[in-house]
Amino acid sequence: MSLANPNGPTIGVFDSGFGGLTVLRALLPLIPGARYLYLGDTARLPYGAKSQQTIARYALSSAAFLLEQGIEMLVVACNTATALALDDLKQALPIPVVGVIAPGTAAAASANADTNVLVLATTATVQSGAYTRACTALGLTAYEKACPLLVPLVEEGWIDHPVTAEVLRIYLTEALEEAPNATTLLLGCTHYPLLRPMIERTLTALNHPLKIIDSATATAHAAAALIPASAQSAHATCTFYATDSIEKFQRLGTSFLGQPLPEVHLIDLGG
Amino acid sequence: MSLANPNGPTIGVFDSGFGGLTVLRALLPLIPGARYLYLGDTARLPYGAKSQQTIARYALSSAAFLLEQGIEMLVVACNTATALALDDLKQALPIPVVGVIAPGTAAAASANADTNVLVLATTATVQSGAYTRACTALGLTAYEKACPLLVPLVEEGWIDHPVTAEVLRIYLTEALEEAPNATTLLLGCTHYPLLRPMIERTLTALNHPLKIIDSATATAHAAAALIPASAQSAHATCTFYATDSIEKFQRLGTSFLGQPLPEVHLIDLGG
């Protein structure tokens, strides 16, 4: 495949919104020579409340757009789309497709010998059961905790706010009552890496330290493993597309990417 | 028009989700003889992040479905759809169409002689500027405060929770710093009536009592004013449709409607 392109590979990164920018952020130092095309399907988010058929249709049309732009690998930087559309994407696309769930789970499996995994995720991801299936397949015991307020709190910008600390304390206390033997905490949503410092402080305050696995970072490593080292020399370029709400994408995306976002291009995928 | 039907009128109530059930709840005692058809376009929510054209298209297809079922009046029980699609709906439909913004604003105008109105609403509604336009038209001074965490908190079921009390304290404190002369508080989102007792307690604690206007109740009165008294005798019947997420609609809808929800019918409006 053309991933050995000496000018660096062209990598598509796809999410329903801007949360997947945390995956792109993790990719940049690992595959610095790539040309990245990021697509946030903001017109049709959140995917969480939609049926599997609908999400697969959205994901396929988003992937088709990126394929037309010349991507040679697709990173599905969205837990819901990975849970509900990864198989369809892998079947439909002639290029490697990497989702966020398997890499995060594999990282959890290698983190501790005897692993009980606590997964924090959105309601939609928890309801899909995808992390439990992935953990079970690797011999791990999973407990999934839905944390529906964390995405709105991050999007409100309350990253380091006492209300967010209290919500995290409540969610983690409830989760640890259900999963007292957990040794590993898996962040199963692309918004959650922004809360990692506060999650660490909360676990310390609860006197229950856990090994934290960030599926954004794990996914970036899985994608980098598919890229020949020879392609990892030049400087990255990033192009951003969204299907709606350009202003919010640009404003909030900066803290997700960890650097200012350049122009975001508005595209129309219909429906 | 056939609203004088002695068997009671057939009234369509439309929202992007189940928030509009607070409007239906207010309608039931005012027009007890009606046959209500409620449609929550849950597959395509939230409308907030979409463009005006997209929202108008969604609202028109939802209204067309209800029209086919025989509605004689449409209540747009959704602030975003009212802000962005009411004119299109009024032009396209051969029946009376009532939105939530004008009735709420008119109720605010009659609540106090010298009125500075503080409007709490979602980010999308605030960005539309619809309440400011409606208030200005009635000689009122409006200050709109976006409260993006309130809908997620209500949907988490944290109606009477200390975290919600703290978030309300923060939002209301910020709003009252910007609008210290406010005399009236307009609840510009169909989720907010569930928080009314806590909003009242918060205002008391802030030593800043305001006259609270609930646009759900105001809208129900505006709709009832169009119905002849002769049609207001029999018992109401309610039929519920949603385009996705039936389970969540049924579970959360009960507290919005104030009574258990019967079966919710899944319908497909496409795209």
Side-chain angles (χ1 to χ4, degrees):
Chain A
M1 72 189 160
S2 55
L3 289 177
N5 179 349
N7 294 324
T10 299
I11 300 177
V13 182
F14 160 62
D15 181 24
S16 58
F18 45 78
L21 291 170
T22 59
V23 178
L24 176 57
R25 180 183 192 162
L27 280 164
L28 285 169
L30 292 177
I31 317 176
R35 174 177 163 246
Y36 293 98
L37 305 183
Y38 184 98
L39 168 57
D41 189 13
T42 42
R44 304 189 287 199
L45 67 75
Y47 280 13
K50 277 119 190 163
S51 64
Q52 192 275 330
Q53 289 81 354
T54 301
I55 291 167
R57 185 160 56 82
Y58 290 175
L60 287 168
S61 71
S62 299
F65 170 82
L66 290 169
L67 209 56
E68 282 166 24
Q69 316 307 310
I71 62 165
E72 298 154 89
M73 173 194 282
L74 178 66
V75 178
V76 185
C78 170
N79 281 274
T80 305
T82 300
L84 299 174
L86 188 67
D87 290 344
D88 289 301
L89 287 167
K90 283 188 168 175
Q91 279 193 351
L93 300 185
I95 56 173
V97 180
V98 178
V100 281
I101 292 178
T105 308
S110 59
N112 281 300
D114 173 26
T115 304
N116 284 274
V117 183
L118 171 58
V119 183
L120 305 186
T122 63
T123 304
T125 299
V126 171
Q127 283 176 347
S128 77
Y131 273 103
T132 295
R133 284 194 300 278
C135 283
T136 304
L138 296 180
L140 310 174
T141 303
Y143 173 76
E144 298 191 61
K145 170 66 177 170
C147 303
L149 289 169
L150 297 186
V151 167
L153 285 163
V154 169
E155 298 203 353
E156 177 68 311
W158 289 14
I159 305 287
D160 193 28
H161 191 286
V163 164
T164 309
E166 175 62 9
V167 170
L168 269 177
R169 190 192 63 76
I170 293 169
Y171 282 153
L172 285 169
T173 302
E174 288 172 355
L176 291 168
E177 277 170 12
E178 297 289 328
N181 299 323
T183 52
T184 304
L185 180 68
L186 184 47
L187 306 184
C189 171
T190 53
H191 279 61
Y192 297 174
L194 278 77
L195 297 174
R196 184 172 178 151
M198 189 178 270
I199 290 170
E200 286 171 350
R201 286 199 299 275
T202 306
L203 289 171
T204 302
L206 292 173
N207 203 20
H208 201 125
L210 294 171
K211 169 88 177 165
I212 298 180
I213 303 288
D214 163 355
S215 57
T217 304
T219 301
H221 278 98
L226 298 177
I227 307 285
S230 62
Q232 304 189 15
S233 53
H235 287 293
T237 64
C238 298
T239 309
F240 298 91
Y241 303 95
T243 51
D244 209 336
S245 307
I246 296 297
E247 187 276 328
K248 183 180 180 188
F249 190 101
Q250 200 137 18
R251 178 167 44 85
L252 290 178
T254 296
S255 49
F256 283 71
L257 188 62
Q259 57 181 268
L261 238 69
E263 186 188 2
V264 179
H265 303 275
L266 182 66
I267 59 167
D268 184 2
L269 297 176
Chain B
M1 72 187 160
S2 57
L3 289 177
N5 180 349
N7 294 323
T10 299
I11 300 176
V13 182
F14 160 62
D15 181 26
S16 58
F18 45 78
L21 290 171
T22 57
V23 178
L24 177 57
R25 181 182 192 162
L27 279 164
L28 285 169
L30 292 177
I31 318 176
R35 174 176 163 246
Y36 293 98
L37 305 183
Y38 184 99
L39 169 56
D41 189 13
T42 43
R44 303 189 289 198
L45 68 75
Y47 280 13
K50 277 117 191 163
S51 64
Q52 192 276 331
Q53 289 80 353
T54 301
I55 291 167
R57 186 160 56 83
Y58 289 175
L60 287 167
S61 70
S62 299
F65 170 82
L66 290 169
L67 210 56
E68 282 166 23
Q69 316 306 310
I71 61 166
E72 299 154 88
M73 173 195 280
L74 178 66
V75 178
V76 185
C78 171
N79 281 275
T80 305
T82 299
L84 299 175
L86 188 67
D87 290 344
D88 289 303
L89 287 167
K90 283 188 168 174
Q91 279 192 351
L93 299 185
I95 58 172
V97 180
V98 178
V100 282
I101 292 178
T105 309
S110 59
N112 282 301
D114 173 25
T115 304
N116 282 275
V117 182
L118 171 58
V119 183
L120 304 187
T122 64
T123 304
T125 298
V126 170
Q127 283 175 347
S128 78
Y131 273 103
T132 295
R133 283 195 299 279
C135 284
T136 304
L138 295 179
L140 310 175
T141 303
Y143 173 75
E144 298 192 61
K145 171 67 177 170
C147 304
L149 289 170
L150 297 186
V151 167
L153 285 163
V154 168
E155 298 203 352
E156 177 67 310
W158 290 13
I159 305 286
D160 193 28
H161 192 286
V163 164
T164 308
E166 176 62 8
V167 171
L168 269 177
R169 190 191 64 75
I170 292 169
Y171 282 154
L172 285 169
T173 301
E174 289 172 356
L176 290 169
E177 277 170 13
E178 296 290 328
N181 299 322
T183 52
T184 303
L185 180 68
L186 184 47
L187 306 184
C189 170
T190 53
H191 278 62
Y192 298 174
L194 277 77
L195 296 174
R196 183 170 179 155
M198 189 178 270
I199 290 170
E200 286 171 349
R201 287 200 298 275
T202 307
L203 289 171
T204 302
L206 292 173
N207 203 20
H208 202 124
L210 295 171
K211 168 88 177 165
I212 299 181
I213 303 288
D214 163 355
S215 58
T217 303
T219 301
H221 278 97
L226 299 176
I227 307 286
S230 63
Q232 302 190 18
S233 53
H235 287 295
T237 64
C238 298
T239 308
F240 298 91
Y241 304 95
T243 51
D244 209 335
S245 307
I246 295 297
E247 187 276 328
K248 184 180 179 190
F249 190 101
Q250 199 137 19
R251 178 168 43 85
L252 290 178
T254 296
S255 50
F256 283 71
L257 188 61
Q259 57 181 266
L261 240 68
E263 185 188 1
V264 178
H265 303 275
L266 182 66
I267 59 167
D268 184 2
L269 298 177

